[in-house]
Amino acid sequence: MSASKLFDPYKLGAVTLTNRAVMAPLTRNRAVAGFVPNPLAIDYYGQRASAGLLITEASQVSQQGQGYQDTPGIYSKEQVAGWRKVTDRVHERGGHIYIQLWHVGRISHTTLQENDGAPVAPSAVRAKSKTFVGGTFADVSEPRVLDLNEIPGIIDRFKRASANALEAGFDGVEIHGANGYLLDQFAKDGANKRTDAYGGSIENRARLMLEVSKAVAAEAGADRTGIRISPVTPANDISDSNPQPLFDHIVDQLNALKLVYIHVIEGATGGPRDIAPFDYDSLRKRFSGAYIANNGYDFKLATEVLEKNKADLIAFGKPFISNPDLVERLKLGAPLNDFDKATFYGGDAKGYTDYPVLGRQAAAE
């Protein structure tokens, strides 16, 4: 039995997690008609309920917020009902689950938008990026500038999605402020060229992310609201000329809102951890809630970081795709199943709910 702090309980706001392993949000593109969670998602998340905390795949707060085919939403009654079955299963198995709320902004395609409209963005700067639509990867569409009078509606969509999430039985919500999606686009000067109250200075560029955070915390409760940030990732053609003071400011303000956690992608999303210099300890020191560390963590690194008190929780992504019983495998030092990249995005049960767990695997061998 391993003595790693990874397997210690942790009190996260309103809930006590059985361990410190978090399943990171993982886009799987399997929603059914009406962008309702696939019935298979009940098993998928239920199988992984031994994680201390599950964070769902990103779920759009409105049709406008969708950027990829077959991603689930959290804005209709049917979507809420679909998610309720997922949360019920996870809770039956003793787990805890947050939903990740997103608006992709410019990382979208006209075919996903109402009346084939242009995606929205802080500025009319097209990302050199692709999206998954029509069963293939295609260049994202040219965005249009979000008008000032549209911004309150965006904030309200996040607020309504938070109310829907609680109705669906989620233990809390995670705001997606990372990976070059809408809130990150506003925060970073590579995408935000505005000259109004939402552009220019660090305070102005951070405004939308913080206003959304305040609205969501007011709706869901600060002790049930987390946020994901990625200070230096180049994902989806995003960049900032000086990310340290920007994110120091953002985290200071998130701390003032008393959010329950910050979920920090350290380095390039799904890539090198050392892609650009950044002092993550600065964020850790500024934030009194939980720090979830993410990106390229294995058991050894997770144990080291927890031991040094550089994080409270550790998020694992791809290992949870192919190892529903990841926590048990890490505890026993058992080998991990390899994942099948071909089944990551879209499809059926193959590569989704059919990965073997330890007992079943031993019996098959």
Side-chain angles (χ1 to χ4, degrees), residues 139-286:
D139 290 339
V140 299
S141 299
E142 184 83 33
R144 69 169 178 84
V145 178
L146 256 179
D147 195 74
L148 261 183
N149 64 19
E150 294 178 278
I151 289 177
I154 301 273
I155 297 166
D156 187 59
R157 286 293 185 177
F158 274 94
K159 187 175 179 180
R160 281 197 242 171
S162 305
N164 288 343
L166 296 187
E167 190 183 332
F170 284 100
D171 296 296
V173 299
E174 175 176 289
I175 299 158
H176 200 339
N179 293 353
Y181 297 117
L182 186 68
L183 303 184
D184 205 25
Q185 289 161 28
F186 266 84
K188 291 178 178 168
D189 59 17
N192 185 343
K193 309 298 183 186
R194 300 174 79 99
T195 55
D196 60 14
Y198 289 87
S201 69
I202 280 172
E203 291 77 13
N204 283 0
R205 286 183 279 120
R207 190 185 304 268
L208 183 59
M209 190 184 293
L210 297 172
E211 286 178 344
V212 165
S213 299
K214 186 176 181 180
V216 170
E219 188 66 43
D223 64 341
R224 294 180 183 274
T225 302
I227 188 168
R228 194 183 208 199
I229 54 175
S230 54
V232 298
T233 191
N236 290 312
D237 193 28
I238 200 70
S239 64
D240 190 79
S241 59
N242 198 1
Q244 191 77 52
L246 171 64
F247 281 89
D248 283 349
H249 168 74
I250 285 171
V251 171
D252 279 343
Q253 299 307 307
L254 295 172
N255 189 55
L257 291 173
K258 295 185 163 54
L259 295 202
V260 75
Y261 71 70
I262 53 172
H263 179 181
V264 185
I265 298 170
E266 299 167 346
T269 309
R273 291 175 51 78
D274 59 354
I275 191 164
F278 191 86
D279 181 7
Y280 298 100
D281 289 341
S282 173
L283 307 187
R284 170 77 164 147
K285 287 169 191 156
R286 289 165 185 275

